[in-house]
Each structure stands twice: as structure tokens, then as C-alpha cells.
Amino acid sequence: MSTETSTPKEEQHQFSAEVERLMDLVVHALYSEREIFLRELIANSADAMDRRRFEALTNEACALPATPQIRLSVDKEAHLLTISDDGVGMNKEEMIQNLGTIARSGTRAFEKELKDSKPEDRPNLIGQFGVGFYSAFMVADKVEVISRRAGSDEAWSWTSEGKGQYTLAQKTRETAGTDIILHIKSDADEYLESMRLENIIRKWADHIAWPIMIKQGEEERSANEGTALWRKPRSEITDEQLEDFYRHITHLFDKPLATLLWHAEGVFEFTSLLFIPGMISPFAPVDQERKSKVRLHVRRMFITDEAEMLPAWLRFIQGIVDTEDLPLNVSREMLQNTPVLARIRKALTNRVMSELNKLSEDTEKYEKFWDLFGAIFKEGLWENGEHAESILKLSRFYSSTQEGFTTLPDYVSRMKEDQEAIYYLAGDSKDILASSPQLEGFKAQGIEVLLFTDAVDAFWPDRVGKYADKPLRSITQAKEDLEKLMGDVEHVNSEEEEGLLKSLQEILKDKVSEVRTTQRLVDSPVILAASAGGPDLQMQRLMRRNDKTMPTATPVLELNPNHPWIKSLVLKAKDGKDINEEAAILLDLARVQDGEMPIDPTLFARRIATALTGK
């Protein structure tokens, strides 16, 4: 971002290219209803009020006024709509960070500042000004933000027409908080009518606990009830209200796959309103923390979304949990150690698992859920023993013999009578796995193999070990199993074949642990296998790709003794001919078949060209 100062108190700034693209997307494509801008701006104001309330716990200078509220003021003659709040406000640097760049929010910066400090609580809010702020340009051709940071006497303004630049200038504001002044477009006059604004607020923001007031002329009235939706009986809540609240809390624009409203009573009491989203946020960071962000409320008031109300493998669940059994100033230590929260977490996890069992009865919905969140859900197989059996039953997999998804119970029901293990092959995609030479011998024997396509699939089978008393075994480590299933067709190497194996072992001695023949290949000449007792090949690849160290285990190179190429190599080795080039091609070909690059791609290409042309 470049900056040039026009006066000592006024500065011109350029938006980053990302913000310009984002604004264009928001204004022209992201929102189907223009009125959504009001929901976004009011949500930002409510978050700023929450944040100031929490800062006031440890900083008296941030104390809220006697009657904190969010105010909407309409000036029809001037074509202005102003949204004001008594929130934490912003200083100059925060304005630049929050309104001039993407992927930054005041709340994220606030989290970082307090990560290692001692405040009683550390709220993580939706974001004081995030993506939703730019929706203001759907209805305004100019937006001005005037803000004064709580605890500071200095105020600043941010002004932009949404066309590549914005202006920062010093201003005055009597109290801490923020004013957002929208210069309403000529085709958006409806948003200068108080009744229209009130209807929008009741539709999108009626649940917000802070009072929202609308003033037009001399008339001022309340626009929201401030009733916590999750506290109402289900019979009093419409599906539309639930969907609106889902969109508010998740900032997504679809309908949830499932909604769970639960009022738990007994030794401890809490209410939860949870959603299984119907999409993944397009703005979710790639390196998103592996933590649940379900919001914890105490007596309706937001406390934090850092309480990890659900395990990490259920972090796709979004929503709130509200309890009466904690103090409003609950400390970080209490969040970690209180038995009340431990019991709530356990009950909540069990309830979510029950909901997923119910959802699994709807094949279409569950497959959509699995496509979105299956890879995250299976992390529970690695991390958690208590729910492993349930997770296994709810897991879905591709198969070498079945269309669509299948389950472990269904796989076990189809196992051959003499089959001892559940066989799987892990890789990067269903299509690549389905055509892998690794499957050839199992297909020939009519043995079904599960196709594991997620990164976590390379790890959890070793942790889980077995299902229904059947061991889980990668077919890259199942040579003896296949030979037993094949019975009397076991191949005995001839003296000439043994000579080839010894020659190849000598040539490739630094790259493979063993060279041997195999009966599990039908059409392919060569394949890689894991060495005895070594980790699965896919696990090794994943560790290397993620720069993770693990004990080196050179693979085994297996040859198909019935393939014409291998037969020709047997004769060449017998006659003492040079097979160094073909040995290197064999190994590289086996690597390519398993989704790896050749050891030297350029040299591999040259060798193939030479083999095909003789030049």
C-alpha cells in the first residue's frame, strides 16, 4: 500500500489490490439482497460493544456509558444514514488495518495482543470490521467512518468512494465509539425510511442483546427485542429465524445441513444452538487453527469462542452454548479446569454424534456433509478413543468394487469367507487409486479394497488397528495375505529370474531395500511395496511433502514375472547384457504409478525417448 500525505492531518491511501477485488465481489456478486449491508454493519457494532465491555474488565478507561446502544439516524434531505455505536472504537492504525486491507480484523489483532497477557478473558468475536463492512458500498456511493478508541482522546475519520483509495483525517468525537455515515445512492432511497430499517433489523438482528434505536426527525424508537433466539422453545422459532441466525453467526450464505437446538437440564443446565454448515467459508484461511470456535455465552452474554466446546475433529460445527452455571467474569484458568465445562463438552459431543447418526439416514445430505467435512471428522480416529467406534461407523469410503460411498459395516458384510483383513489403498484421488497397479492382484481374486483419499487416511488405520475384529491393512503391505488367498498359484523363481533379481538389486542397491517377484500384478510390469515392518508408502509421501521427518524406509521393488518386458530382461541378464538404463526406468515407472516424481525427471524423459527410438 502506498501513502502520500497531502496535509499534516489528512492522508490519501490506496486500497490493496485484494480489497479492490473483494469490494467488487461483495457489491456485484456476493450478496443477493442489498439489505444485508445493515445486518453486517450492526453485527460489527455489536461486536465492538462486546469487545469494549471485556476491555473494561481490566481497564477502567474503557468503561461503557450508562446506557450503551446502537443508533441509526436518518437524514432524508442529505441522503445520509448514520450507524453509531458505543463500542471500543479504532485508532488510526486500526483503521488502516481493518478497513484498508483484507484478511485482517480488529478482533484478530486483539487476540494476538492478549495471547500471552493476563486479562481475565479474551473474547474472539466475529470481527469488528471484516468482509461484511464492504457491503456498505452496495447502497452507498461514499462511506465515512469516524471513530475514537476507548481510552483515547483522539478521533480519526476514514472516507472512501470505494474506487481504489481512501482518506484518513483527524476528527473530533465527544465519546469513544464509531459512526458509519453512508451517503445513500439514488436507487437506494428505501434505506432512508425508518420503517424499512426497522423491518430489516427485526429480520436480521432482533436477537442482538444491545439496544438498537432508530431516529428520524424528532421520532426515536427501539428497533429490536434483544431476545436470545436460543433461549426460546423450538415451537416459538421459525425455520426462517434459525436460518437468519445461522447466517449471522457464520457469515455464510447458504442453509445449514442440520440444526441442533438443545436445552439440557439436570445437575448442570445449558442451552446450545449448533449448526452443521452447508458450505465451507470462501474466506476461511488455509492455515485455520485446529480448534473449535463454538461461542460460549453466560446468561446470554458472549464470553469467548476460545473455550473449545467441541473437540478439534468437530471444529466444523458452529453455533453457541449458553449456561447459567458460570460467572460472567469467568477466567481463562477456569475455562480450562472447571468441571462444569468439562461435563458440558462431553454432553455436547455426545449430542452432536447422535445428530450425525440421525443425519446419516438421509443419504443425500450425509454425502454432502462427508464431502465437506469428512476429512476433518476422521481426525477423531487419530485423536480420540472414546468415539472411535462411532466415527468408524459414520465414516464413508470409496471402494474398488462399489459405486459411490460405502461403510466399514457394509464392507465387512461383503468380505470373502477366507479373507482375514480389511484392505485399503491410500492416495491422492479416487480416480488415480482406482487405476493403480497395486489393485491388480486383489481384483483378480475378487477382493474388495477401500480407497482412502484424504491425508489423514495414511495415519489413523495404524492407531485404530482393527474394526469388527478384522485388522486394517494397506495392500502395499499385504504380499503374504494375497499369496495365501491365491493358494497354489504361488510363483517359484527360476534360476534365470533369480539372476535378474540379483542384478537389479546390485544396480538399485541405494534406492530399494529388495527386488522380488510378485503374483499380485496382472497387466503391469513393476510396482513398489513397503518394506517389512516399514510405514505405508502413502504415509511416507505425506510426511515428505509436509517436510516432516520420519525414519527412512526404502521401498521394495516387485516385478511381474509374466510380463513380456520382465521376461526380456531375464534373457538380457542371463546373456550378461547391460540393463542399467532399464533398471532405472523400472524404478521411475514404479514411482510414477504411485504418484511420485521420477528421481530425475529430465533423465527419465531422455531414457524413455531413447528406449522408444533407439537413439
Side-chain angles (χ1 to χ4, degrees):
M1 178 187 301
S2 63
T3 303
E4 56 183 58
T5 305
S6 56
T7 72
K9 295 186 177 181
E10 185 173 297
E11 303 172 0
Q12 294 291 331
H13 291 251
Q14 293 296 126
F15 282 121
S16 65
E18 291 84 358
V19 168
E20 288 197 65
R21 288 195 295 272
L22 175 66
M23 283 197 292
D24 184 70
L25 176 65
V26 169
V27 173
H28 297 107
L30 193 57
Y31 296 105
S32 58
E33 300 177 77
R34 295 174 89 186
E35 68 180 38
I36 208 76
F37 85 93
L38 195 57
R39 182 194 75 174
E40 297 296 323
L41 297 183
I42 288 177
N44 289 339
S45 292
D47 290 341
M49 305 267 278
D50 282 341
R51 182 176 165 188
R52 181 172 177 181
R53 178 172 60 86
F54 276 94
E55 287 198 4
L57 293 175
T58 55
N59 184 356
E60 292 183 1
C62 295
L64 284 159
T67 56
Q69 57 185 217
I70 300 169
R71 299 169 296 282
L72 277 68
S73 302
V74 177
D75 186 337
K76 292 185 71 172
E77 291 186 7
H79 256 63
L80 297 178
L81 171 62
T82 302
I83 302 168
S84 302
D85 64 61
D86 297 313
V88 71
M90 292 177 285
N91 58 31
K92 176 186 174 184
E93 289 72 23
E94 288 169 326
M95 277 190 163
I96 294 172
Q97 293 170 355
N98 300 340
L99 306 184
T101 57
I102 192 172
R104 288 290 299 271
S105 74
T107 302
R108 284 188 68 180
F110 176 63
E111 273 184 40
K112 187 173 182 180
E113 288 173 13
L114 299 186
K115 187 173 183 180
D116 299 315
S117 57
K118 299 179 181 179
E120 288 290 310
D121 195 17
R122 191 164 56 91
N124 180 338
L125 309 172
I126 293 172
Q128 184 185 356
F129 288 99
V131 169
F133 168 75
Y134 303 111
S135 64
F137 288 99
M138 291 193 298
V139 299
D141 49 28
K142 180 180 177 182
V143 177
E144 183 178 4
V145 179
I146 301 173
S147 193
R148 173 177 162 184
R149 188 68 165 80
S152 170
D153 295 328
E154 189 176 74
W156 283 82
S157 72
W158 177 101
T159 307
S160 178
E161 296 180 359
K163 297 177 180 178
Q165 65 181 19
Y166 61 92
T167 301
L168 289 177
Q170 287 188 319
K171 287 281 183 176
T172 58
R173 195 179 194 272
E174 291 185 5
T175 59
T178 299
D179 302 321
I180 302 175
I181 304 165
L182 307 180
H183 295 251
I184 298 297
K185 296 177 180 178
S186 57
D187 65 348
D189 283 351
E190 61 184 294
Y191 303 112
L192 295 171
E193 299 292 341
S194 60
M195 288 300 296
R196 175 74 170 114
L197 297 174
E198 184 175 342
N199 288 337
I200 296 172
I201 291 169
R202 293 200 180 277
K203 176 181 179 181
W204 294 108
D206 202 39
H207 60 277
I208 287 178
W210 300 104
I212 303 174
M213 308 298 294
I214 297 179
K215 183 176 182 180
Q216 186 165 14
E218 298 299 318
E219 182 183 1
E220 184 176 36
R221 63 177 180 273
S222 176
N224 69 318
E225 291 184 11
T227 303
L229 188 73
W230 56 89
R231 292 264 180 152
K232 294 182 177 181
R234 179 63 180 91
S235 58
E236 296 179 12
I237 307 173
T238 66
D239 290 342
E240 183 181 19
Q241 286 175 317
L242 285 173
E243 289 174 11
D244 291 344
F245 183 75
Y246 162 76
R247 296 183 184 113
H248 166 74
I249 203 169
T250 65
H251 284 222
L252 298 174
F253 311 101
D254 64 323
K255 293 183 179 181
L257 284 177
T259 300
L260 172 58
L261 177 61
W262 183 30
H263 302 282
E265 299 178 351
V267 178
F268 57 96
E269 298 183 4
F270 68 89
T271 296
S272 63
L273 177 53
L274 304 178
F275 302 98
I276 300 176
M279 67 180 292
I280 296 175
S281 171
F283 300 106
V286 175
D287 60 345
Q288 189 171 26
E289 283 187 297
R290 294 185 62 255
K291 291 182 179 179
S292 167
K293 293 294 184 180
V294 169
R295 297 160 61 103
L296 173 64
H297 290 237
V298 174
R299 300 166 206 165
R300 289 179 44 192
M301 299 302 292
F302 172 72
I303 300 299
T304 182
D305 66 359
E306 292 287 338
E308 298 185 55
M309 301 305 299
L310 287 169
W313 49 274
L314 289 175
R315 62 184 179 275
F316 52 85
I317 301 287
Q318 299 201 44
I320 67 99
V321 175
D322 191 358
T323 181
E324 299 278 340
D325 297 330
L326 290 170
L328 280 172
N329 62 343
V330 58
S331 68
R332 186 184 310 160
E333 182 180 0
M334 182 180 290
L335 286 176
Q336 294 172 344
N337 301 319
T338 177
V340 171
L341 270 187
R343 290 195 294 266
I344 291 177
R345 290 181 184 118
K346 183 175 181 179
L348 212 58
T349 301
N350 290 337
R351 188 71 182 209
V352 169
M353 292 299 291
S354 296
E355 184 65 27
L356 288 174
N357 267 303
K358 180 180 176 182
L359 185 66
S360 69
E361 297 171 4
D362 186 327
T363 301
E364 184 178 349
K365 274 191 176 182
Y366 195 76
E367 288 190 357
K368 182 177 181 181
F369 157 76
W370 194 256
D371 283 335
L372 290 169
F373 307 115
I376 297 174
F377 186 59
K378 282 184 291 185
E379 290 176 12
L381 297 172
W382 176 261
E383 297 179 3
N384 185 276
E386 181 182 357
H387 293 281
E389 189 75 13
S390 298
I391 296 172
L392 282 172
K393 288 180 180 179
L394 286 168
S395 294
R396 299 292 184 265
F397 308 101
Y398 294 116
S399 163
S400 64
T401 64
Q402 307 295 312
E403 290 292 328
F405 286 117
T406 191
T407 66
L408 282 175
D410 287 343
Y411 177 96
V412 171
S413 72
R414 294 189 295 265
M415 286 176 62
K416 287 184 172 293
E417 189 174 340
D418 54 351
Q419 183 179 339
E420 298 177 357
I422 296 170
Y423 297 108
Y424 69 89
L425 178 62
D428 294 328
S429 78
K430 174 192 172 187
D431 292 339
I432 292 174
L433 290 176
S435 60
S436 171
Q438 301 276 5
L439 292 173
E440 290 178 11
F442 288 86
K443 284 183 178 179
Q445 296 301 310
I447 303 295
E448 181 179 1
V449 178
L450 296 176
L451 307 179
F452 290 176
T453 56
D454 295 312
V456 69
D457 291 328
F459 301 94
W460 68 260
D462 284 341
R463 177 67 63 90
V464 172
K466 61 184 179 179
Y467 176 78
D469 291 326
K470 302 288 184 181
L472 292 150
R473 188 166 298 147
S474 168
I475 62 174
T476 68
Q477 299 169 307
K479 177 180 182 290
E480 293 180 1
D481 294 44
L482 186 58
E483 289 174 349
K484 188 184 296 185
L485 289 165
M486 294 176 74
D488 59 5
V489 298
E490 182 177 355
H491 179 77
V492 178
N493 294 332
S494 66
E495 185 177 338
E496 290 81 5
E497 287 171 340
E498 287 293 341
L500 173 64
L501 297 180
K502 288 178 181 178
S503 296
L504 291 174
Q505 182 71 64
E506 178 62 26
I507 295 168
L508 302 172
K509 59 185 176 183
D510 296 329
K511 300 179 177 66
V512 297
S513 61
E514 182 185 354
V515 181
R516 67 194 182 200
T517 58
T518 182
Q519 289 299 296
R520 66 191 181 110
L521 291 175
V522 177
D523 301 314
S524 301
V526 66
I527 200 170
L528 288 177
S531 57
D536 177 63
L537 296 179
Q538 173 68 355
M539 181 187 292
Q540 296 181 52
R541 284 194 291 272
L542 284 169
M543 297 295 279
R544 287 195 298 270
R545 289 175 190 173
N546 290 281
D547 296 323
K548 304 292 185 182
T549 57
M550 68 181 303
T552 301
T554 51
V556 174
L557 185 67
E558 294 187 345
L559 309 180
N560 178 0
N562 301 312
H563 194 278
W565 186 12
I566 303 303
K567 288 181 178 180
S568 72
L569 284 175
V570 169
L571 296 177
K572 287 183 179 181
K574 178 185 175 184
D575 295 339
K577 293 182 179 179
D578 184 2
I579 60 170
N580 282 271
E581 289 295 291
E582 288 182 87
I585 293 174
L586 276 174
L587 178 56
D588 278 339
L589 181 62
R591 289 171 60 86
V592 170
Q593 288 175 161
D594 262 14
E596 290 278 8
M597 289 290 288
I599 295 172
D600 184 334
T602 302
L603 186 56
F604 175 66
R606 188 179 304 135
R607 283 170 173 156
I608 292 295
T610 300
L612 291 173
T613 64
K615 298 180 182 180

